[in-house]
Each structure stands twice: as C-alpha cells, then as structure tokens.
Amino acid sequence: MVTKKILINIPTGLEARPVALLVQVASQYESSIYVECDEKKVNAKSIMGMMSLGLIAGEEVTVTAEGADEEVAMENIEKYLSSK
C-alpha cells in the first residue's frame, strides 16, 4: 500500500471535466485507489464519489493506492493532480 499527500494544482479545482479525467487515469490501474479529504474517503474510480468531495485548487488530499501496480498508479495520479 502506498499513501501520499498531494496538493491539487488544477486551476479550476476538481469540477466535472477534471474529475472525469482523474477517474479515467485511476481506472487504467488494477489497484484500488482512494482519495481522502476532511474525513471523507472515496473511490478515485467513481465519478459521483469524486464529485462529492468538491475539491478546489490549493487543497491537499491524501491518496492511497493498493495493488499490483500501486507505484505507477500513484505516480500518475500525482502527476495529474499536480499539473497546472
């Protein structure tokens, strides 16, 4: 299991389109991937779950990946959330 705190740098925050793209990135991997913010933990492969977090730019989240490809999954999730 890999856990990492990541700062969201996407200027618009995670509204509909960025959430859909994040779910696409997460869904490429076999690993279970969860995003946690303010005591709420959701599956990164769930559009509705991710939308429910209402994340904004500059917010810090904790991402957890567990599975055969957890390292590469975490690397690409971080790359996506940290990009501008």
Side-chain angles (χ1 to χ4, degrees), residues 26-40:
S27 294
Q28 295 174 25
Y29 304 100
E30 180 185 314
S31 296
S32 297
I33 303 168
Y34 290 91
V35 177
E36 190 173 355
C37 183
D38 297 330
E39 307 298 318
K40 190 170 186 180

Side-chain angles (χ1 to χ4, degrees), residues 49-82:
M50 289 303 301
M51 289 295 294
S52 74
L53 289 178
L55 300 173
I56 58 172
E59 202 161 0
E60 187 176 67
V61 295
T62 301
V63 179
T64 305
E66 183 173 9
D69 52 4
E70 62 190 31
E71 295 286 341
V72 71
M74 181 65 77
E75 183 180 311
N76 287 307
I77 296 284
E78 180 177 24
K79 190 182 298 180
Y80 177 73
L81 289 175
S82 298

